[in-house]
Amino acid sequence: MTHPPSAREALQRALGQPPAPEAAPAPAPVPAPAPVPQQPSTRAAVVGRLRAAATTEPGRLRIIGAVLAFLVLVFGAVTAVEINDRAASADDVVERSQPLSADAAGIYRSLADADAAAASGFLAGPQEPRAVHDQYVKDIEEASRLLVKAAANTDAATASGREITTLNEGLPRYTGLIERARANNRQGLPLGGAYLRYANQAMSGELLPAAERLYAAETGRLGQDQSSARSRPLFSLVAGVVALAVLVWAQRRNYRRTNRVFNHGLLAATAATVVLLLWLAVGHTVARSGLAEADSHGQRPMDVLNRARIDSLKARADENLTVVARGAVLTADGKNDKYETDYTAGMKALGGELAAAAKLADDTGDGEGGKPVAAAAEAVKEWQGRHRTARTTDDAGDYESALEQIIGQENSTGESFKKVDDALRDALAHEQDDFTRAARDGRGALGGLPAGAVILAVLGAVAGIVGVNRRLSEFR
């Protein structure tokens, strides 16, 4: 509907003026927004829900089921990790560190035997016996082969790697000196004896000490692997005891609230945990016992026997060089024959090592390990007696007879030395067999335990959840 114009508007129109604009209506007041209620934080909400759930029996059961499953799974995982680590160390003992230790001893022994064979061949005259020459060549080839093998399995930056480098550099120099000694000896030149002494000095002053340090380093690594393999899995045992205690508590709680003796799910979870805990305890105990037996009945006797065999070889080389030098090389004080003094010291050390080996060898009770050690001890006594006779003959000026008493085929110190060396070789072979058998038995006791731990833990966790869910179904 149109409203009639006012008098003012009519006058403005009559005068030709535009009408005044209408005043805009005042805006309506905008209402203030309603306050938004503050939402609790996510963490507070979770805590609130858990608190609310814990006040009801179904909520408590869900929490118990989750805790049980978590503890059983943690037990299985920790057991798998720890036992896998022990099994790896046991594998290293059998497959890596002990063979490397044995190879290091083989390098040491081959070098000492080569030196003894070289001296024996020189004493035999310009025409070196074929058997003695072949033994020398065999020893050098064996030492070279074992050095190549050791280098392939050793980091060059380690102490063992540095000793291997020393041996690889020094061995060609030693063999070169031996060849010069042979060449001069075949021509009947006295210079051959000097080259032989230089070669022996290189062997005793450089090569054998490096080989001994290599053997000590590899034997030390074997000890570390054995210690790691035999260390107790404490975290696994604690986790297993805690999981078992909580399972027993949960079943006792279930019995007190329902008067039901068994919950099949919880009972199955408990059985799986008990089986794994017993498997862990028994398996590691058997493994630990086997590795301890390998050490006490194998490695420790072998260590003593290796040193005894090396000392016998060094004594044999010194005995031969006593005749070669004929008093030309004296001790530092200038009073005694150096090689005779070294022989006496070596035989004294050999006697102590054989006495120690007799106590360590053949703890298995079959009598086989002690027999070769006893035979070696008897041969040492015979060797010493024959050596005194040879020295008396040589001091009396009968060089040819003394030489026959040292390198002859019968009733000589060389024959006695061979008896000692053969007996010690047999003793070492017996102890090596004992070590390998015991170490493999110990390693075998851990076989399958890591995988079994995972399987039993999963089965136990599932059984525990099923048992709790069976109880929850009663509230629906």
Side-chain angles (χ1 to χ4, degrees), residues 117-129:
S120 295
F122 189 92
L123 278 177
Q127 297 299 322
E128 184 178 14

Side-chain angles (χ1 to χ4, degrees), residues 334-470:
K335 296 180 179 179
N336 300 300
D337 186 294
K338 177 184 182 303
Y339 296 116
E340 180 65 19
T341 301
D342 289 345
Y343 164 83
T344 302
M347 294 299 284
K348 182 178 179 180
L350 176 59
E353 286 156 352
L354 288 176
K359 297 178 181 179
L360 292 171
D362 192 39
D363 288 335
T364 57
D366 60 3
E368 295 301 321
K371 290 179 180 179
V373 176
E378 288 298 320
V380 165
K381 293 178 182 178
E382 179 185 78
W383 181 4
Q384 290 175 317
R386 290 177 175 178
H387 177 82
R388 286 192 293 270
T389 301
R391 293 308 311 146
T392 300
T393 303
D394 190 30
D395 292 341
D398 191 352
Y399 175 79
E400 294 299 328
S401 296
L403 186 62
E404 182 65 21
Q405 291 170 357
I406 291 175
I407 65 172
Q409 296 296 319
E410 297 181 355
N411 300 322
S412 65
T413 60
E415 182 185 37
S416 299
F417 161 74
K418 188 175 185 308
K419 292 179 182 179
V420 173
D421 193 59
D422 290 345
L424 290 176
R425 183 181 61 248
D426 292 343
L428 278 166
H430 178 83
E431 299 302 334
Q432 179 66 62
D433 290 342
D434 282 352
F435 176 91
T436 303
R437 174 189 53 77
R440 286 179 176 173
D441 288 346
R443 179 184 62 176
L446 299 177
L449 182 50
V454 173
I455 294 171
L456 286 172
V458 171
L459 291 177
V462 171
I465 293 174
V466 170
V468 171
N469 286 341
R470 180 69 179 271

Side-chain angles (χ1 to χ4, degrees), residues 100-327:
L100 285 175
S101 176
D103 287 346
I107 293 170
Y108 196 175
R109 188 169 55 248
S110 295
L111 292 175
D113 193 37
D115 200 43
S120 295
F122 189 92
L123 278 177
Q127 297 299 322
E128 184 178 14
R130 183 70 180 181
V132 176
H133 177 76
D134 289 346
Q135 183 62 44
Y136 168 83
V137 173
K138 179 182 177 181
D139 288 330
I140 294 299
E141 290 177 347
E142 178 69 3
S144 301
R145 182 186 69 81
L146 292 176
L147 281 171
V148 171
K149 182 180 176 182
N153 292 279
T154 305
D155 186 355
T158 62
S160 295
R162 291 190 290 272
E163 301 304 340
I164 292 171
T165 300
T166 299
L167 290 167
N168 279 325
E169 292 174 351
L171 187 57
R173 290 196 294 269
Y174 170 80
T175 55
L177 289 170
I178 291 297
E179 292 307 318
R180 290 186 180 184
R182 285 173 173 164
N184 282 276
N185 193 38
R186 283 194 292 268
Q187 299 176 41
L189 300 176
L191 192 58
Y195 277 118
L196 183 65
R197 293 194 297 274
Y198 296 152
N200 175 261
Q201 290 172 6
M203 176 64 75
S204 60
E206 180 184 2
L207 295 180
L208 289 182
E212 185 175 14
R213 292 192 296 269
L214 175 62
Y215 174 67
E218 294 302 330
T219 302
R221 182 159 62 172
L222 170 60
Q224 292 175 358
D225 287 339
Q226 286 180 325
S227 178
S228 176
R230 292 163 56 185
S231 61
R232 290 185 174 87
L234 296 178
F235 289 112
S236 299
L237 293 171
V238 171
V241 170
V242 171
L244 183 61
V246 175
L247 280 165
V248 171
W249 170 83
Q251 292 180 89
R252 183 172 180 273
R253 180 182 185 277
N254 182 66
Y255 169 72
R256 293 178 64 183
R257 290 177 179 270
T258 65
N259 286 327
R260 293 172 182 167
V261 177
F262 296 119
N263 177 296
H264 294 95
L266 294 178
L267 187 63
T270 304
T273 303
V274 170
V275 168
L276 179 53
L277 191 58
L278 288 175
W279 190 359
L280 170 65
V282 174
H284 190 267
T285 299
V286 173
R288 183 182 174 87
S289 176
L291 291 170
E293 181 182 353
D295 180 51
S296 61
H297 298 170
Q299 183 57 34
R300 289 172 59 193
M302 277 194 292
D303 184 46
V304 176
L305 289 169
N306 274 320
R307 295 183 183 280
R309 194 175 183 194
I310 290 165
D311 279 339
S312 71
L313 291 166
K314 291 165 66 176
R316 177 59 177 169
D318 288 328
E319 182 180 49
N320 290 336
L321 286 166
T322 300
V323 182
V324 172
R326 306 192 71 176

